[in-house]
Amino acid sequence: MTNEISKSTFTIVPAVDIVETPHTYVVKLDIPGAQKEKISAAIENNILNVSAVVERFNDDQESDTVKEYKREFSLANDVDVSTVDAEYENGVLQITLKKKEQYLPKQININ
Amino acid sequence: MVVRIHNPISLFNEFENLLAGFPTAKTAERKPQFKASIKETNEAIVVNVELPGIKKEEVKVTFDNDVLTISAERKRPELKENEQWLRNEILYGTFERSINISLPVNSEKIFASHENGILHIVLPKAEEAKAKQIVIR
């Protein structure tokens, strides 16, 4: 009663939550089972590109299944691409994008 | 060609059943469904469940009468007044899944760990369930 499953690769579009706060956009992606080093997040030409490779190993420590998570986001003009923060915890990748100074809500002083 | 439909109402039922397989607009009824893989090795049954965004303390695993039950709650983040959802694809809520383990296992030695959003459970087989090599004389 052994299950012989040959090595296979799946491409997965991870589910995403995006929350806008006055100063940031917080992007959360479900990427269960990844090692931090196997996750990449990059911004190029105002496009945020997230990808991760999750491998599952069999008893002989050979990888038998590979899951490839991939998703792209077009960023709005108000995102400050120079300060992006990303953390991975409990299988969720959280990316915090800050808004540019000139787009932040301002308090106007009344003289 | 004449198509005879003996019970036209049954068509509606079938359609309803089809619809049940799709996420509907009734978001309140949508529940998180987590993927599981179950593997049998020579020594054990190995179960891996994807539980992204759930802390170790929020998962409950029980084994009773050959049924392994995993339950968890993924709490919906509460937004402050000046925050708003731009997209919400992640499903929140309570979740339960039961898996019938058809082989005798050593329930005293069940082992569970949780890492990077994956719950990993090892149920060692009972002696009588292990494959035996038969010596040919």
Side-chain angles (χ1 to χ4, degrees):
Chain A
M1 231 181 103
T2 47
N3 296 322
E4 284 289 331
I5 303 171
S6 58
K7 180 164 175 163
S8 43
T9 303
F10 302 96
T11 304
I12 296 167
V13 179
V16 69
D17 269 9
I18 305 176
V19 171
E20 183 181 2
T21 75
H23 295 84
T24 60
Y25 294 102
V26 180
V27 181
K28 278 187 195 171
L29 297 118
D30 274 358
I31 306 178
Q35 301 295 320
K36 231 182 248 177
E37 311 78 62
K38 295 278 177 75
I39 304 175
S40 116
I43 296 174
E44 206 184 323
N45 295 328
N46 253 21
I47 290 171
L48 169 65
N49 210 316
V50 179
S51 65
V53 173
V54 178
E55 279 177 288
R56 195 174 68 188
F57 297 93
N58 64 17
D59 299 330
D60 305 322
Q61 294 304 307
E62 289 165 353
S63 122
D64 61 5
T65 312
V66 180
K67 289 181 182 174
E68 214 179 347
Y69 291 83
K70 265 189 180 174
R71 193 136 184 190
E72 269 188 7
F73 304 92
S74 291
L75 300 180
N77 287 331
D78 61 352
V79 174
D80 179 1
V81 295
S82 62
T83 57
V84 179
D85 177 64
E87 59 178 321
Y88 182 66
E89 196 188 15
N90 279 329
V92 178
L93 178 68
Q94 177 168 319
I95 301 170
T96 306
L97 303 156
K98 288 200 178 105
K99 290 183 189 171
K100 285 179 190 158
E101 197 68 46
Q102 69 258 39
Y103 291 92
L104 295 181
K106 278 181 203 69
Q107 181 80 45
I108 293 153
N109 292 324
I110 301 163
N111 293 321
Chain B
M1 194 178 92
V2 183
V3 179
R4 280 175 213 273
I5 300 171
H6 297 289
N7 180 4
I9 300 299
S10 74
L11 264 182
F12 287 99
N13 291 338
E14 270 187 60
F15 187 63
E16 204 112 292
N17 288 343
L18 266 177
L19 279 182
F22 290 97
T24 63
K26 299 175 194 163
T27 44
E29 287 175 17
R30 287 165 70 193
K31 285 196 159 190
Q33 292 194 328
F34 299 130
K35 292 177 194 139
S37 73
I38 305 162
K39 185 170 77 167
E40 185 189 346
T41 68
N42 289 336
E43 300 293 322
I45 307 282
V46 181
V47 179
N48 282 301
V49 188
E50 292 185 355
L51 297 171
I54 292 169
K55 296 189 192 92
K56 197 170 86 181
E57 308 79 62
E58 296 168 333
V59 188
K60 207 176 99 188
V61 182
T62 58
F63 185 75
D64 184 30
N65 265 332
D66 294 343
V67 177
L68 177 74
T69 302
I70 299 144
S71 52
E73 182 177 7
R74 190 171 192 186
K75 291 198 180 80
R76 187 178 195 86
E78 284 183 23
L79 298 195
K80 296 189 193 104
E81 210 178 287
N82 53 9
E83 298 177 345
Q84 61 165 330
W85 288 102
L86 295 186
R87 214 176 280 191
N88 176 212
E89 295 171 0
I90 296 175
L91 298 179
Y92 296 96
T94 51
F95 153 84
E96 190 175 274
R97 186 154 182 181
S98 292
I99 297 159
N100 203 352
I101 306 293
S102 53
L103 289 171
V105 297
N106 187 346
S107 59
E108 299 295 310
K109 290 194 173 159
I110 296 174
F111 167 84
S113 65
H114 182 269
E115 195 190 13
N116 290 333
I118 303 272
L119 176 68
H120 177 75
I121 305 165
V122 180
L123 304 108
K125 286 186 195 171
E127 256 342 289
E128 67 255 40
K130 285 182 190 167
K132 283 183 192 72
Q133 183 73 42
I134 293 156
V135 181
I136 300 161
R137 289 189 291 179

